[in-house]
Amino acid sequence: MIAKIKSCGLLGIEGYVVEVETDISNGMPAFEVVGLPDTAVKESKERVRAAMKNSDLDFPQRRITVNLAPAHIKKEGPFYDLPICLGLLRGSGQLPGDEADEYMFLGELSLDGALRPVTGALPMVLCAAKAGIKKVILPKENAQEAAVVENIEVYPAGTLAEIVAHFLQIERLSRVTVDVEEIFRQQAVTCADFSEVKGQESVKRALEVAAAGGHNVLLIGSPGSGKTMLAQRLPGILPSPTMEEALEITKIHSIAGVLPSDTALITTRPFRSPHHTISAVGLSGGGRIPRPGEASLSHNGVLFLDELPEFNKSALEVLRQPLEDGRVTISRVNATLTYPCNTMLVAAMNPCKCGYYGDPVRECSCSEAQIHTYLSKVSGPLLDRIDLHIEVPSVSYQDLESGRQGESSESIRKRVNEARMRQAERFAGTGIFSNSQMSPSQTAEFCRLGKEENELLKNAFTRLKLSARAHNRILKVARTIADLEGSTEIKTAHLAEAIQYRSLDRKYW
């Protein structure tokens, strides 16, 4: 008898429906899994055998063939355990009726029949909803994230026996629901506040511009000037993600296996700060089974690279294409996967190895050759993709000892939110959320300059020897500064401030 059970697989951050076909026929006892299974899928037959035995269910001692369709896509991961087991139960007559046709099943089985959580539950349930499947049964640890999907019923289970009892009408599983609006209401920005930062008003202003437009930032200054402290407070002024952005963030964290079990939806923007010893694969993603890297885990949030020149050069160069395109493409023999990484890059570095080149108080001990070698660790093409280059001066004693408190993150965040709302209206229906994501045609449409502004940009382009990419990024930053001022047009003051943020790379490089 042939039984068919619906499950799901993953390609990147998108799911696809997998039909688990089980054939039980006469012949010598055997158990074969076909349909391009990986090692974890092939091993599922031993987990299924033990789970059925320890759940007081009969394992059919006949010839068993399981096909995972479509057969041309490689199947990876242990979440086919449950659908294979239910296919055996249905094929052997232990699971009556056609009710199972209404469900999609996901879950790894332990040897005692308990269900273990799986990674990527959210994108797989989204796939089920898109395919018209109305009900899903999966491990209870994955229930919260799955329940945020609209128009689908989520039934969590703890053991195989509970699922069998559900279909035998002995004890039905309870449906789980979550209130998405309540999740967004309960969100709280718990990061440190900008009011704790003494002085550095010009740097705070630059970070406000960066947050308002989603622009990449480079902070360069002497040790102890507050670069890391400022960067760590940046999430506190970023706007709350939209529902669409929150779903994308949660999908990536779910696939990577870093989503907390008690979290239904990530409603705050991620802040990732990898150590400088990270590899190129760890930063961009990849591996034998391609997984998202730090660039994708910071999607719609902040990727902070402290001590930028200390990172491996090959790892930094890997970021060039993702920063430009907003996505990472990983090519392997079996498949080509794409992960989104529309991240806001914030990098911090010293101007030289000793850290005091250009410092007005302490003298630099590095030779010109050492300074050149240190700075050349960061390539020009990578710098060209960073919109704002900000010099962070040392904090004076007067600023440290003054009792005056700086502006709070909350008040800065209000201005950032207002600027983002203007951008949301401007880009409605285009699938982009900030000025930094504008295409060249959109930049030409929304960043038109007057005669005076055009002349200013022409002079800056010539004198600073800027690239075409730097030209476009100046226009995008100027558009963001105008949005913060509530101006529909880019004025001379907006453009001048944007040009000022590009001059630092010419000072040092």
Side-chain angles (χ1 to χ4, degrees):
M1 179 179 177
I2 294 179
K4 296 182 179 181
I5 298 290
K6 294 185 184 71
S7 189
C8 193
L10 288 171
L11 280 175
I13 66 166
E14 301 300 328
Y16 63 96
V17 175
V18 173
E19 194 167 58
V20 180
E21 302 172 329
T22 306
D23 176 65
I24 302 176
S25 58
N26 294 326
M28 290 290 290
F31 194 162
E32 294 294 334
V33 180
V34 297
L36 281 184
D38 73 346
T39 304
V41 180
K42 289 179 181 177
E43 290 173 348
S44 66
K45 56 188 178 185
E46 301 304 328
R47 292 191 294 272
V48 167
R49 192 193 310 270
M52 290 179 66
K53 175 186 173 184
N54 293 315
S55 299
D56 295 326
L57 299 166
D58 294 328
F59 183 84
Q61 298 297 325
R62 300 165 70 185
R63 182 173 183 80
I64 300 167
T65 304
V66 175
N67 179 44
L68 307 176
H72 68 283
I73 303 176
K74 190 172 182 64
K75 315 303 184 306
E76 299 168 338
F79 35 77
Y80 298 108
D81 289 5
L82 180 60
I84 288 173
C85 183
L86 295 177
L88 290 176
L89 291 172
R90 196 172 175 191
S92 60
Q94 298 177 70
L95 200 69
D98 296 328
E99 187 185 357
D101 292 337
E102 303 173 13
Y103 292 79
M104 176 179 278
F105 299 90
L106 306 166
E108 176 187 348
L109 286 171
S110 64
L111 299 184
D112 62 357
L115 259 67
R116 298 183 187 275
V118 296
T119 59
L122 177 59
M124 288 191 281
V125 174
L126 283 168
C127 169
K130 198 177 293 185
I133 300 169
K134 301 296 183 183
K135 301 176 183 179
V136 173
I137 291 180
L138 76 180
K140 56 187 178 183
E141 290 88 349
N142 297 119
Q144 292 294 313
E145 62 173 299
V148 303
V149 182
E150 294 180 348
N151 304 320
I152 199 159
E153 299 176 18
V154 176
Y155 296 91
T159 63
L160 174 62
E162 290 178 11
I163 298 171
V164 174
H166 173 81
F167 287 109
L168 292 176
Q169 307 290 331
I170 297 172
E171 186 176 351
R172 303 290 283 184
L173 296 172
S174 300
R175 181 185 174 187
V176 166
T177 58
V178 297
D179 187 344
V180 175
E181 291 183 2
E182 182 62 25
I183 293 172
F184 272 93
R185 279 195 297 269
Q186 289 179 353
Q187 71 175 354
V189 180
T190 56
C191 57
D193 200 276
F194 263 106
S195 62
E196 300 167 349
V197 180
K198 301 290 186 179
Q200 308 292 18
E201 298 305 321
S202 61
V203 184
K204 291 180 187 176
R205 165 65 179 176
L207 290 177
E208 179 182 338
V209 172
H215 301 289
N216 300 326
V217 183
L218 173 65
L219 302 172
I220 182 167
S222 305
S225 57
K227 302 184 296 294
T228 304
M229 184 180 188
L230 286 158
Q232 289 172 341
R233 281 152 179 76
L234 185 59
I237 64 173
L238 290 174
S240 302
T242 62
M243 180 61 185
E244 187 180 349
E245 288 177 309
L247 279 173
E248 283 192 340
I249 295 168
T250 309
K251 283 165 68 175
I252 294 169
H253 282 70
S254 176
I255 289 167
V258 295
L259 183 70
S261 59
D262 58 346
T263 301
L265 191 69
I266 297 176
T267 54
T268 56
R269 295 187 182 273
F271 181 86
R272 306 288 297 186
S273 180
H275 193 261
H276 62 77
T277 55
I278 191 171
S279 66
V281 170
L283 200 54
S284 66
R288 187 182 62 81
I289 300 175
R291 287 288 180 264
E294 290 292 334
S296 294
L297 288 171
S298 59
H299 177 60
N300 289 330
V302 176
L303 175 63
F304 178 49
L305 303 183
D306 202 2
E307 304 298 342
L308 186 66
E310 301 301 329
F311 281 78
N312 188 294
K313 192 161 187 175
S314 63
L316 291 180
E317 295 308 302
V318 154
L319 289 177
R320 284 162 57 173
Q321 179 258 339
L323 287 176
E324 195 74 18
D325 300 339
R327 61 182 182 271
V328 173
T329 301
I330 303 168
S331 297
R332 294 291 181 269
V333 174
N334 297 313
T336 298
L337 305 180
T338 299
Y339 291 112
C341 64
N342 183 27
T343 183
M344 182 177 166
L345 175 66
V346 179
M349 63 178 290
N350 299 326
C352 66
K353 196 166 184 65
C354 78
Y356 297 103
Y357 175 51
D359 190 89
V361 179
R362 297 189 61 172
E363 187 177 348
C364 174
S365 61
C366 302
S367 66
E368 284 190 16
Q370 287 174 320
I371 294 170
H372 176 75
T373 302
Y374 185 78
L375 295 178
S376 64
K377 291 181 179 179
V378 183
S379 69
L382 181 62
L383 279 174
D384 230 16
R385 289 163 169 81
I386 299 178
D387 305 24
L388 289 83
H389 305 157
I390 307 165
E391 190 169 11
V392 184
S394 298
V395 184
S396 67
Y397 182 81
Q398 288 78 9
D399 284 332
L400 286 174
E401 289 302 312
S402 69
R404 189 180 64 214
Q405 195 172 35
E407 189 177 14
S408 69
S409 293
E410 185 59 35
S411 60
I412 300 174
R413 193 174 189 228
K414 286 178 182 177
R415 294 196 296 271
V416 170
N417 274 325
E418 289 171 3
R420 286 287 184 121
M421 286 173 65
R422 295 184 183 98
Q423 293 165 54
E425 292 173 7
R426 180 183 301 131
F427 304 124
T430 63
I432 67 175
F433 306 99
S434 64
N435 288 332
S436 64
Q437 299 172 304
M438 282 193 287
S439 65
S441 60
Q442 289 170 326
T443 305
E445 180 183 354
F446 298 118
C447 302
R448 292 193 178 96
L449 301 178
K451 185 177 180 181
E452 185 181 342
E453 290 77 20
N454 233 326
E455 190 63 28
L456 174 62
L457 184 56
K458 178 184 176 182
N459 291 336
F461 187 86
T462 305
R463 292 181 62 186
L464 296 176
K465 299 178 182 178
L466 299 173
S467 66
R469 183 182 289 115
H471 170 272
N472 282 352
R473 291 187 181 274
I474 286 174
L475 289 175
K476 293 177 183 180
V477 173
R479 178 68 267 169
T480 300
I481 296 169
D483 288 339
L484 282 168
E485 298 294 328
S487 173
T488 56
E489 297 178 353
I490 297 175
K491 299 178 180 176
T492 305
H494 306 147
L495 189 61
E497 185 178 351
I499 292 170
Q500 171 198 326
Y501 294 137
R502 289 299 303 190
S503 63
L504 197 66
D505 58 332
R506 304 305 159 194
K507 176 181 177 182
Y508 287 103
W509 275 264

